[in-house]
């Protein structure tokens, strides 16, 4: 039976030869094809790989000798990571592979993250790692559709425990390669950030209106990883326009929360010149990991336990001033059309008069500070409404329609 999909297996074949070969056996047993890539430095595999370590190092602009002579394993693996990412992308573009699976501990995982980030959305990317889901993995290193499986019991050698992880991963990546429906790109794509309908409503109005105009709309849940996916696609230039309304991940990062989308949140669309409409949903809250104690400096404030995973804590007036400045700095990085829409009546459903987290003085202070912080390169629209009012969505559509009419945003598909 000929293989219908080919999976690239990436790993250090000098130390993980048995485990990597077992992955290949599992994929082949299911009718898949395998291409192997060796990213080791010091040793050699038991049998030649399709992409040798020498070829990988050369693709990274160096050589195995240089990697060894550096005397620094971190330097050496960064050479291999650069080359592996370059080679994986080349193989995908040539149609030689349909998915990738990488295996490793901290060293192999560090490299695997670069390989996955190099491949576009829709290419199955699986990382089998001893540190899957660890806090060591910064959000900005994670590809938008990366998948991770914990390599339980897999530090050294094969056993029945680690075979369970490896065989599942082999089936997962091959199944994904067979089942994936890549993004169509037949309509201009709009990226929007939001939270659930209990706190923000605008996507309920805007999504069908934009679709009626011939656009595809992807709404990203701005709770850390959603914002990371949004930023990675913006950096690729995947969006015709962004509506980045839920910028609270900027707050989280500034306040040191573990629920972060990375230091570059709310910058990549602007840097890429993508037309952006930005707002301040949940500007007044910092989201914290719900099962961890609230930091001492944030205790004694109004809070909302959304569930066992997430708790929101209200910002002080001074902190709201800081956030206005941070958002202004992000807006100043835009190289394309940029509008900031400021709904002065509040930025989430808990931020209405009479609602449990409303702070009228803090809201007024933020509104004043935000109007000062918006740079001259960004148009400011001040609205006398709440972000969940129909007037907010209407103003956004007015801006968007004007951009379409002016050719700033491409027209939607008929």
């Amino acid at each position: 039976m000929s293989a219908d999909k080919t999976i690239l297996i990436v790993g250090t074949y000098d130390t993980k030869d048995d485990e990597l070969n077992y992955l290949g056996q599992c994929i082949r047993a299911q009718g898949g094809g395998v291409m192997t890539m060796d990213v080791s430095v010091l040793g050699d595999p038991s049998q030649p790989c399709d992409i040798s370590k020498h070829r990988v190092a050369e693709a990274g602009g160096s050589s195995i000798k240089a990697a060894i002579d550096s005397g620094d394993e971190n330097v050496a693996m960064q050479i291999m990571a650069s080359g592996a990412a370059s080679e994986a992308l080349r193989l995908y573009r040539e149609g030689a592979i349909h998915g990738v699976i990488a295996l490793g501990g901290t060293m192999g995982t560090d490299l695997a993250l670069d390989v996955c980030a190099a491949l576009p959305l829709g290419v199955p990317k699986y990382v089998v790692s001893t540190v899957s889901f660890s806090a060591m993995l910064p959000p900005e290193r994670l590809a938008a559709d990366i998948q991770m499986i914990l390599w339980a019991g897999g530090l050294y050698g094969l056993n029945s425990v680690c075979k369970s992880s490896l065989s599942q991963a082999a089936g997962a990546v091959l199944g994904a390669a067979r089942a994936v429906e890549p993004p169509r790109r037949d309509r201009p794509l709009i990226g929007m950030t939001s939270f659930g309908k209990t706190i923000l409503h605008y996507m309920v109005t805007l999504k069908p209106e934009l679709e009626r105009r011939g656009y595809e709309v992807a709404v990203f849940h701005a709770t850390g990883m959603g914002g990371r996916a949004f930023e990675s696609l913006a950096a690729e230039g995947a969006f015709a326009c962004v509506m980045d309304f839920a910028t609270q991940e900027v707050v989280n990062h500034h306040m040191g929360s573990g629920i972060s989308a990375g230091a570059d949140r709310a910058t990549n669309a602007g840097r890429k010149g993508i037309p952006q409409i930005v707002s301040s949903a949940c500007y007044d809250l910092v989201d914290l990991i719900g099962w961890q104690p609230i930091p001492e400096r944030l205790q004694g404030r109004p809070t909302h336990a959304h569930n066992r995973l997430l708790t929101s804590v209200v910002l002080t007036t001074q902190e709201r001033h800081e956030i206005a400045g941070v958002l202004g700095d992000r807006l100043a990085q835009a190289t394309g059309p940029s509008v900031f829409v400021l709904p002065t009546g509040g930025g989430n459903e808990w931020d209405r008069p009479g609602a449990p987290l409303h702070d009228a003085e803090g809201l007024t202070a933020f509104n004043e500070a935000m109007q000062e912080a918006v740079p001259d390169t960004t148009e400011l629209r001040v609205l006398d409404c709440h972000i969940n009012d129909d007037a907010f969505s209407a103003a956004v559509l007015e801006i968007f329609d004007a951009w379409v009419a002016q050719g700033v945003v491409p027209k939607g598909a008929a």
Side-chain angles (χ1 to χ4, degrees), residues 14 62 88 98 156 167 186 211 218 273 278 373 377:
D14 61 344
S62 188
H98 306 93
Y156 182 75
S167 57
D186 58 343
E211 289 172 342
V278 184
T377 51

Side-chain angles (χ1 to χ4, degrees), residues 84-130:
S86 176
E87 282 292 281
L89 181 58
R90 177 187 66 80
L91 291 168
Y92 168 71
R93 287 175 171 168
E94 292 175 356
I97 62 169
H98 306 93
V100 63
I101 186 166
L103 177 70
T106 57
M107 196 77 72
T109 301
D110 188 10
L111 178 146
L113 296 181
D114 282 0
V115 172
C116 292
L119 296 170
L121 182 75
V123 181
K125 312 164 182 69
Y126 281 75
V127 178
V128 188
S129 168
T130 58

